[in-house]
Amino acid sequence: MSGKLTYFVSDVHLGLQVADPAGREARFVNFLRSLPQDAQALYLLGDIWDFWYEYRDVVPKGYVRVFAALQELIDRGVKGYFFQGNH
């Protein structure tokens, strides 16, 4: 065993306008930025966004901090995998 860690996340529902949407996004970004240096992979298993269009050439407005945190992980060498949800 290599000692590398793999993380799985689902059902964050960014964009859901219930309770504290901004706080939910901030907590998710904090989680992403808190992954240890020995993380090897992050699986986003669905419903990270409450609703998502599969645009080929467009990035939806908003969630820049989430995308930046994901890019920071990728730049560190963490492999990222994204699975669509049912929303």
Side-chain angles (χ1 to χ4, degrees):
M1 184 170 199
S2 68
K4 298 282 185 170
L5 300 172
T6 298
Y7 291 83
F8 298 87
V9 177
S10 70
D11 297 292
V12 179
H13 291 281
L14 295 171
L16 181 64
Q17 296 301 309
V18 173
D20 181 12
R24 184 181 313 113
E25 180 181 3
R27 287 187 301 276
F28 185 50
V29 168
N30 287 338
F31 163 76
L32 293 172
R33 290 195 169 137
S34 75
L35 294 183
Q37 289 299 314
D38 59 351
Q40 72 173 354
L42 172 66
Y43 287 81
L44 302 175
L45 297 176
D47 296 335
I48 301 303
W49 287 268
D50 195 53
F51 192 78
W52 182 267
Y53 286 105
E54 290 298 319
Y55 293 117
R56 197 181 112 193
D57 298 319
V58 176
V59 175
K61 182 179 177 182
Y63 310 108
V64 173
R65 289 175 184 87
V66 172
F67 291 123
L70 290 170
Q71 185 62 54
E72 289 167 11
L73 288 172
I74 292 166
D75 289 346
R76 271 183 25 199
V78 176
K79 295 196 182 309
Y81 304 92
F82 179 76
F83 296 85
Q84 296 174 332
N86 61 347
H87 288 211

